[in-house]
Amino acid sequence: MGPVSLLLPYQKLSNWKGDLAKMTHLQAGLSPETIEKARLELNENPDVLHQDIQQVRDMIITRPDIGFLRTDDAFILRFLRARKFHQADAFRLLAQYFQYRQLNLDMFKNFKADDPGIKRALIDGFPGVLENRDHYGRKILLLFAANWDQSRNSFTDILRAILLSLEVLIEDPELQINGFILIIDWSNFSFKQASKLTPSILKLAIEGLQDSFPARFGGVHFVNQPWYIHALYTLIKPFLKDKTRKRIFLHGNNLNSLHQLIHPEFLPSEFGGTLPPYDMGTWARTLLGPDYSDENDYTHTSYNAMHVKHTSSNLERECSPKPMKRSQSVVEAGTLKHEEKGENENTQPLLALD
């Protein structure tokens, strides 16, 4: 056996170590269980990871109308994971991600946590982010809808705060694979507040979250929703993909159905869980750090209530949402809470409900 043939096994071993190093770099921080989950559920194959990424990158030339501002391996990989390694679908999502930002330039100016509009939304709990993940490794996001003070936060700024939060969270490769859960508590969300949810801004949110962001949402859960949220959902259904519609769950006041999908040990007490009540400032403090402050507009004296600062005139009081209770999880099944007197008198849904 010649010297060249003796070197071949070592060359193969060296090449294998090089490939392993590349794989380790792209899958750094993943547990063995998550790597296996990515293989089984997302068709992720470490042996061809770089080829998959490059094939998506090669498609960029087909869309000269879009400025692809980031095209590194780790960035493209999250789009492949979001589309189960279907390369054409992953590229389409990547293109929509940057196109959405091009079409909505004002939303992404000063797109950082200390932007005044984003900061206010974060401080007011949009979104809430639970520290621990659920039994599937998914991150749980919370929205307490009644906390939307429309004199303080625009819907666009709340959407910006949610998108920025997702940008931060999606950097975690575990969450790229395991995904997210969103729970929206509609307790005390008034008809007046709901009337501000116009089709145009809801479409903006759907395009930003469903069509243009590389996140896997395992479920969107509505809790304590009144009839007009049912009606609103009927209006937006045509904009939702079939897969999205199948992952929206309308629980009403039935927390048992929520617990069948998300175990109580992963939920705060507002949702009948065993965890302490959610601290509305938790995620804001994480993103803002030393810049975090309540700005003296809201007093976080209780986890169960967030009180709006008193306004100086009766007109302002009437136009602003009432003091916002965090949850109505103790409401008896079948009862719908209406914020304003008279809303439950002689009112019928305007649309047929599912």
Side-chain angles (χ1 to χ4, degrees):
M1 183 180 295
V4 174
S5 60
L6 286 172
L7 287 174
L8 286 176
Y10 295 99
Q11 289 172 342
K12 290 180 180 178
L13 179 61
S14 177
N15 292 337
W16 178 82
K17 285 183 176 180
D19 291 340
L20 180 62
K22 291 179 182 179
M23 180 195 73
T24 304
H25 167 68
L26 287 173
Q27 297 185 319
L30 294 177
S31 66
E33 295 80 10
T34 304
I35 291 174
E36 181 65 6
K37 182 177 183 178
R39 185 183 70 83
L40 293 175
E41 296 185 13
L42 306 185
N43 306 307
E44 184 167 329
N45 182 354
D47 295 334
V48 295
L49 212 50
H50 288 274
Q51 293 95 308
D52 289 334
I53 291 169
Q54 188 56 47
Q55 287 189 26
V56 172
R57 189 183 287 117
D58 289 343
M59 298 180 194
I60 290 175
I61 195 172
T62 66
R63 292 299 304 271
D65 56 312
I66 295 176
F68 293 85
L69 302 180
R70 184 178 170 188
T71 60
D72 57 274
D73 287 359
F75 188 70
I76 291 177
L77 178 56
R78 66 187 63 171
F79 290 87
L80 280 162
R81 285 170 170 162
R83 291 297 180 262
K84 296 187 176 182
F85 279 77
H86 295 294
Q87 295 160 5
D89 291 344
F91 173 71
R92 189 176 300 110
L93 180 61
L94 177 68
Q96 289 170 335
Y97 174 91
F98 285 114
Q99 186 174 45
Y100 182 78
R101 281 148 181 76
Q102 284 182 197
L103 294 175
N104 301 284
L105 289 174
D106 287 343
M107 282 182 59
F108 297 95
K109 286 180 181 176
N110 199 35
F111 190 57
K112 52 187 179 179
D114 61 0
D115 171 82
I118 293 177
K119 181 178 179 180
R120 282 194 303 271
L122 290 170
I123 288 173
D124 292 356
F126 295 104
V129 180
L130 296 185
E131 182 178 355
N132 296 322
R133 303 169 187 181
D134 77 350
H135 53 295
Y136 291 118
R138 301 173 296 190
K139 201 71 167 175
I140 300 175
L141 278 61
L142 308 175
L143 293 177
F144 294 94
N147 289 356
W148 179 22
D149 179 353
Q150 294 166 351
S151 67
R152 174 178 163 87
N153 292 312
S154 70
F155 181 87
T156 302
D157 281 338
I158 289 175
L159 178 58
R160 294 172 72 218
I162 293 170
L163 288 170
L164 178 65
S165 298
L166 287 171
E167 290 282 3
V168 173
L169 292 167
I170 204 66
E171 290 290 330
D172 184 345
E174 289 269 346
L175 294 180
Q176 295 171 19
I177 294 166
N178 292 324
F180 299 87
I181 291 291
L182 175 62
I183 305 176
I184 307 177
D185 185 358
W186 297 98
S187 299
N188 298 307
F189 189 72
S190 70
F191 187 87
K192 185 180 293 184
Q193 287 174 296
S195 68
K196 304 298 183 182
L197 295 174
T198 62
S200 60
I201 63 174
L202 289 173
K203 186 170 182 287
L204 182 70
I206 292 168
E207 289 173 349
L209 295 168
Q210 173 189 257
D211 302 327
S212 309
F213 196 84
R216 305 181 69 218
F217 280 95
V220 178
H221 301 268
F222 286 13
V223 176
N224 300 316
Q225 72 277 4
W227 67 263
Y228 39 87
I229 295 303
H230 279 272
L232 198 62
Y233 175 61
T234 303
L235 280 175
I236 67 170
K237 280 180 74 172
F239 299 111
L240 300 175
K241 295 177 180 176
D242 185 56
K243 182 183 292 186
T244 302
R245 287 196 294 268
K246 290 178 180 177
R247 293 177 180 174
I248 294 179
F249 303 89
L250 308 181
H251 299 283
N253 302 117
N254 182 11
L255 295 181
N256 289 330
S257 65
L258 176 67
H259 297 163
Q260 290 174 10
L261 299 170
I262 309 173
H263 299 168
E265 58 263 34
F266 301 108
L267 294 171
S269 59
E270 293 94 331
F271 301 102
T274 59
L275 298 178
Y278 181 69
D279 179 352
M280 298 295 282
T282 299
W283 181 242
R285 285 190 289 269
T286 299
L287 289 189
L288 291 167
D291 292 331
Y292 175 84
S293 70
D294 288 342
E295 299 178 349
N296 297 319
D297 287 324
Y298 280 62
T299 304
H300 298 271
T301 56
S302 169
Y303 290 165
N304 296 322
M306 180 177 284
H307 299 285
V308 179
K309 186 180 179 182
H310 290 297
T311 54
S312 58
S313 70
N314 291 333
L315 177 62
E316 287 175 334
R317 287 192 194 97
E318 187 163 337
C319 292
S320 298
K322 306 291 191 297
M324 301 171 194
K325 295 182 179 179
R326 289 282 303 282
S327 177
Q328 288 292 335
S329 58
V330 296
V331 174
E332 294 180 3
T335 302
L336 289 177
K337 289 293 182 181
H338 295 275
E339 178 84 16
E340 298 171 314
K341 184 177 179 181
E343 282 182 6
N344 57 353
E345 298 174 2
N346 301 318
T347 56
Q348 295 293 329
L350 301 177
L351 297 169
L353 306 179
D354 290 339

